[in-house]
Amino acid sequence: MATYLARPARILAFCTVVFLILLSGTTTRSHALHATPSAPGSSFFFMASFLNQGYGFRKLITIQSSQVSGSGTLSNFPVLISVTDNDLRTIANGGSVNDANGYDIIFTDRDGTTILNHEIEAYDAITGNYLAWVNVPSVSATTDTEIYLYYGNSTVSADPSSGSTWDANFAAVYHFPSASNFADGTSNNNDGTNNGSTDAAGQIGRGRSFDGTNDQITVTNSSSLDITGNQITLEAWVNAPVPNTDDSPFLMKASTGNQEAYMLGIDGGAATSNVNTRIYYGSSLFRDDSGNIHNNTWTQVVFTYDGSLGSNPRKTVYVNGASVATHDADGNIASNTADLSIGKRVNSRYFEGILDELRISNTVRSADWITTEYNNQNAPGSFITVGAAEANPCSSFSAGTATATDSNVESGNSTTITLTGQDAGATSIQWQSSSDNVTFSDLSGETATTLNTGAITQTTFFRAVVSDATCTGNSTS
């Protein structure tokens, strides 16, 4: 039996027996004894099927340290999980996933209990193809990092995707996962509006194709996009013909031409394959063309500006995870109230090609971060390995049913609760009570199958925690 289900590592979601007694002034009213399910906890594990909230399976995902750049760790790193797995097909298609949208696929840290924020980009219930971004708290360059993927939960029907997958320094993230989805993946809600671009195959899932004539995506200005500090990171995956139609942006924020607060794009002038980077600090535009975008080939381009450095160079250009050029610049980025434009400059210069995975950060991402992003996004199958399925060993475990002797309890009176139908292999019973259905405390010495509640003077929640050598669960009512 696998040891990952050791009881100290579990956090449970419970059903509880509830006694509701309402005291109003000096008048006492009695209310029927009934059962109320508690809300699921914010963390969960292989919960036994008697809860009907449990995950039936899990797989160990190993992030290869050899794919993580540097010699330390990256914090809150969004790892791309891109797999096609028969087990991740829906049950109707021969797999073990319940929800047609893949909502009952979640991730935890190696402890099996700490839920990791993730965002679903795409899911195919027929093939088991699954794309998601998982915020991993610490990714190591020296030791493999392990997390768990859990799946197979019949009670889940809500999208678990979270904007917290992206740390607070991300101003916007665009995946373009479908023909009509221009949503920002962060919590900033900087969603785009399409103006002519079309759906196309992306570097990761789907992307957007721009015709170089009149296509663009616009994003309404917001405080999170009006980056006015002295640090910024702009990122894009690009598949474009070289030379391109014009001196045009992948993404840009400007009210006036040649006064772009920030821009990442392609040069349409003398150096037609160069990456075009710009920042404006109020009186000077720092525009540079460097690096090379590969003709009609997916290329990752990243531009960082770090005005906090004491000396130049402060601009860095990366192509496919490697630094290819540095440039001089200084000052804080000028405030700009214009909308963000994807694929078009204000002077009607349009980009031709396909864009995917655009990101804006109000901080400088490190060289190790950028290289690791490239490794992950360029070859996700080499970045992680996925282990074999582990089935929930507690799938048939039952904690039994708790039944009260009295269906109505007057304030100040007591009743007896009896536990029946618990698993034959159960080795321990511990009764607990709570006044808020959140924090429960053991009732000292109450380890038998029956519990006398004692005098009830307020709303009280009771539950029996039943365990065997492997599984722990709570009584239903």
Side-chain angles (χ1 to χ4, degrees):
M1 188 68 69
T3 60
Y4 63 84
L5 282 169
R7 279 170 283 169
R10 296 191 186 95
I11 298 176
L12 307 173
F14 301 111
C15 285
T16 57
V17 178
V18 182
F19 292 86
L20 291 178
I21 304 298
L22 174 64
L23 303 179
S24 176
T26 58
T27 303
T28 301
R29 297 180 180 179
S30 64
H31 290 265
L33 170 69
H34 66 281
T36 302
S38 70
S42 61
S43 300
F44 40 103
F45 71 117
F46 269 170
M47 293 178 284
S49 62
F50 63 86
L51 294 173
N52 198 29
Q53 296 176 350
Y55 283 78
F57 305 91
R58 73 178 184 179
K59 294 190 176 189
L60 183 68
I61 294 178
T62 302
I63 300 168
Q64 303 298 312
S65 59
S66 61
Q67 296 292 306
V68 180
S69 180
S71 58
T73 60
L74 299 174
S75 299
N76 295 315
F77 187 84
V79 174
L80 169 64
I81 303 296
S82 177
V83 295
T84 299
D85 189 325
N86 288 341
D87 291 336
L88 297 186
R89 298 176 297 181
T90 56
I91 292 172
N93 291 294
S96 300
V97 171
N98 290 84
D99 188 83
N101 298 301
Y103 291 166
D104 60 320
I105 300 173
I106 59 96
F107 299 86
T108 74
D109 212 340
R110 184 61 176 85
D111 60 13
T113 64
T114 304
I115 292 183
L116 303 181
N117 290 314
H118 76 283
E119 179 191 1
I120 301 171
E121 179 168 344
Y123 173 66
D124 189 321
I126 297 174
T127 66
N129 178 256
Y130 181 76
L131 296 177
W133 301 89
V134 182
N135 184 303
V136 180
S138 180
V139 178
S140 174
T142 58
T143 305
D144 290 349
T145 302
E146 295 177 335
I147 62 175
Y148 276 113
L149 180 155
Y150 284 79
Y151 60 101
N153 188 331
S154 62
T155 69
V156 176
S157 60
D159 188 353
S161 296
S162 170
S164 297
T165 302
W166 309 94
D167 71 35
N169 295 121
F170 280 106
V173 173
Y174 301 102
H175 309 298
F176 308 127
S178 67
S180 59
N181 190 330
F182 306 92
D184 170 19
T186 76
S187 300
N188 295 315
N189 299 316
N190 290 315
D191 301 339
T193 300
N194 187 42
N195 295 281
S197 75
T198 56
D199 177 60
Q203 165 67 15
I204 302 162
R206 309 303 297 174
R208 300 305 299 181
S209 178
F210 299 79
D211 63 6
T213 302
N214 58 8
D215 291 352
Q216 67 169 319
I217 296 170
T218 58
V219 182
T220 301
N221 178 54
S222 69
S223 58
S224 55
L225 292 174
D226 187 19
I227 297 172
T228 57
N230 58 8
Q231 293 188 336
I232 195 169
T233 301
L234 306 178
E235 308 177 51
W237 277 92
V238 184
N239 189 331
V242 175
N244 207 251
T245 304
D246 227 329
D247 186 11
S248 58
F250 313 140
L251 48 81
M252 176 215 67
K253 199 168 192 300
S255 303
T256 304
N258 294 319
Q259 292 185 10
E260 291 84 2
Y262 52 83
M263 172 176 153
L264 174 65
I266 187 170
D267 183 28
T272 55
S273 67
N274 281 177
V275 179
N276 187 323
T277 61
R278 307 181 183 210
I279 59 165
Y280 185 70
Y281 80 95
S283 61
S284 295
L285 174 71
F286 294 97
R287 177 244 170 99
D288 296 285
D289 301 303
S290 56
N292 289 288
I293 294 172
H294 305 300
N295 184 43
N296 291 320
T297 301
W298 280 109
T299 307
Q300 185 210 42
V301 291
V302 180
F303 158 52
T304 66
Y305 168 63
D306 188 356
S308 70
L309 295 176
S311 61
N312 280 310
R314 297 185 176 96
K315 291 175 65 179
T316 306
V317 177
Y318 299 82
V319 174
N320 290 341
S323 173
V324 296
T326 58
H327 305 284
D328 293 352
D330 59 50
N332 285 349
I333 301 168
S335 178
N336 188 288
T337 59
D339 293 343
L340 177 73
S341 176
I342 299 172
K344 178 197 173 186
R345 284 183 65 196
V346 291
N347 50 6
S348 296
R349 296 183 179 182
Y350 290 90
F351 167 72
E352 178 186 2
I354 306 172
L355 296 176
D356 192 13
E357 207 56 42
L358 305 181
R359 300 180 180 184
I360 303 171
S361 299
N362 60 15
T363 190
V364 174
R365 301 298 179 182
S366 70
D368 288 337
W369 179 288
I370 293 165
T371 301
T372 303
E373 279 188 326
Y374 175 75
N375 292 343
N376 182 204
Q377 297 167 27
N378 181 59
S382 299
F383 196 82
I384 65 169
T385 59
V386 181
E390 302 175 33
N392 180 355
C394 299
S395 59
S396 61
F397 182 81
S398 174
T401 301
T403 305
T405 301
D406 302 318
S407 60
N408 293 279
V409 182
E410 295 286 345
S411 178
N413 291 348
S414 65
T415 190
T416 299
I417 308 173
T418 302
L419 181 68
T420 59
Q422 64 270 29
D423 195 273
T427 57
S428 70
I429 298 170
Q430 176 62 63
W431 290 94
Q432 297 179 333
S433 68
S434 170
S435 61
D436 59 8
N437 201 22
V438 176
T439 303
F440 281 81
S441 300
D442 290 349
L443 296 173
S444 179
E446 300 295 348
T447 58
T449 56
T450 59
L451 168 71
N452 186 290
T453 63
I456 297 173
T457 59
Q458 62 181 4
T459 300
T460 307
F461 301 79
F462 294 91
R463 69 186 183 194
V465 180
V466 181
S467 304
D468 67 8
T470 301
C471 306
T472 295
N474 293 279
S475 57
T476 59
S477 60

